[in-house]
Amino acid sequence: MSLFRRMAQKIRDEEPVALATVISGGDVGAKMLVSPDAAVLGTLGHERLDAVVARDAKAELAAGRSGVRHYGLAGEVARDEVEVFIEAFGPPPQIWLFGAVDFTAAIGRVAKTLGYRVVVCDARSVFATAQRFPMADEIVVDWPHRLIEERGALLGLRDAICVLTHDAKFDVPAIMAALRTDVGYIGALGSRRTDIDRRERLRNAGATEAQLERVQGPIGLDIGAATPEETGVATMAEIILLRSGRTGRPLTETEGSVHR
C-alpha cells in the first residue's frame, strides 16, 4: 500500500498518524509516515535521520501538535542542516481535572502548554467558571463521576484524569468511575494520610488491589513541589514519565540516548 493510501486509511479509521516531509536541506520532498503502533513507511534519506524524526513524530502525535523540526544530515540534534515538517493527524490528548481549586488552574496551565485538551469539572457552579480557568477548553458543572460515566469511554492511554477535590464524597465515586475506563493516568491530590484513607474508602467501594495500583496518589513526582504551580509541573512530569516508561532519574545518572 502506498504512503498516501496508508495515511488516508489511518485518517478514515480515526487512528493517529503523522506525515514527516523534508522541506529544506537534504532530500527535499522526501516523506515518511509514522504511526504509534506500526512500522514506519517511507524514508527521509538517512537511516539515523529516519529514527530521530520517527521519535519526534510520535511525540507530536502524543501531544496532538504539528510543527517544523531541525536536524543534522544524519539526524543530529541542535543542528539546522535539514528542516522537516511533521504534520500530525489525530485528536490531542485530554486531561480531565476534577475540582475547581488553585491546583486545577496550575495543572491546567502546564497541561495546555504540553498540548492537552483541558476539561475542568466541578459540581459547584460558583467556582467552575471561565474566569477562574481561562486555559480550559471546556468547563463542566456536574459531579465528576457523572461526567466519567457519560463520556469516559472516549478516554484512552494518552489521556489523564486528576482528582483534586480533596473531598471523599467527590473523590471516591470519581476514581471508581475512572477505574472502569481505559484512561492512561489516574492521579489523586492529597497528603499521604489522605491517600491512605482514600484507598481504604476505595476498597470499601469495591476496588481491587490491582485497580488501586492504577491510582497515583499522592499525585506527582517527588521534586519538592510546594506551590500549586510546582505541583502542576510535578504532576505533568509524572504523566510524561509513566507514558514514556523512562526512569525519572537525573540524566547525569543514566546512560544512552537522552531522547527516545
Side-chain angles (χ1 to χ4, degrees):
M1 182 181 292
S2 72
L3 184 149
F4 286 110
R5 286 182 182 276
R6 174 74 64 82
M7 183 175 72
Q9 184 65 53
K10 290 278 187 181
I11 293 174
R12 280 196 298 272
D13 293 342
E14 299 184 345
E15 296 179 10
V17 64
L19 179 66
T21 305
V22 177
I23 58 176
S24 71
D27 189 4
V28 174
K31 300 181 186 302
M32 188 172 70
L33 196 67
V34 180
S35 303
D37 54 356
V40 168
L41 189 62
T43 177
L44 302 183
H46 193 289
E47 182 179 357
R48 289 169 59 188
L49 177 62
D50 289 350
V52 174
V53 172
R55 176 204 68 198
D56 291 347
K58 290 179 181 178
E60 296 286 20
L61 280 172
R65 297 180 304 207
S66 297
V68 176
R69 300 261 186 152
H70 300 84
Y71 308 92
L73 293 173
E76 299 93 336
V77 296
R79 301 271 288 273
D80 57 1
E81 297 160 344
V82 180
E83 198 172 36
V84 179
F85 177 51
I86 300 174
E87 188 172 14
F89 299 89
Q94 298 187 64
I95 184 167
W96 292 6
L97 304 174
F98 294 116
V101 298
D102 289 343
F103 290 96
T104 303
I107 296 173
R109 284 192 291 271
V110 181
K112 196 65 184 173
T113 300
L114 294 173
Y116 279 77
R117 182 177 188 274
V118 177
V119 177
V120 173
C121 175
D122 195 298
R124 303 165 298 175
S125 60
V126 68
F127 296 118
T129 66
Q131 290 73 28
R132 295 193 67 213
F133 304 103
M135 85 298 295
D137 296 285
E138 182 181 3
I139 296 176
V140 179
V141 179
D142 203 344
W143 282 65
H145 73 279
R146 289 173 33 168
L147 174 63
I148 300 173
E149 290 170 352
E150 179 183 350
R151 293 160 46 183
L154 300 175
L155 298 173
L157 294 178
R158 297 189 307 148
D159 304 315
I161 286 177
C162 297
V163 179
L164 311 170
T165 65
H166 221 286
D167 186 332
K169 69 176 181 292
F170 293 108
D171 287 6
V172 173
I175 294 172
M176 290 301 296
L179 289 171
R180 291 190 286 272
T181 74
D182 294 327
V183 70
Y185 177 90
I186 302 172
L189 183 70
S191 67
R192 297 194 187 281
R193 180 70 255 174
T194 297
D195 185 63
I196 292 172
D197 292 342
R198 180 191 296 123
R199 289 178 185 275
E200 190 58 31
R201 291 175 188 272
L202 289 168
R203 291 187 185 92
N204 293 336
T208 66
E209 294 303 318
Q211 287 178 312
L212 291 178
E213 290 181 3
R214 293 182 62 193
V215 181
Q216 303 300 314
I219 198 169
L221 296 184
D222 183 7
I223 60 172
T227 66
E229 289 71 22
E230 291 174 347
T231 300
V233 172
T235 299
M236 294 311 301
E238 182 174 63
I239 291 172
I240 295 170
L241 175 66
L242 294 178
R243 187 185 67 205
S244 68
R246 300 297 285 257
T247 66
R249 294 166 54 200
L251 290 170
T252 54
E253 297 179 3
T254 62
E255 297 179 348
S257 175
V258 172
H259 306 288
R260 187 174 70 177

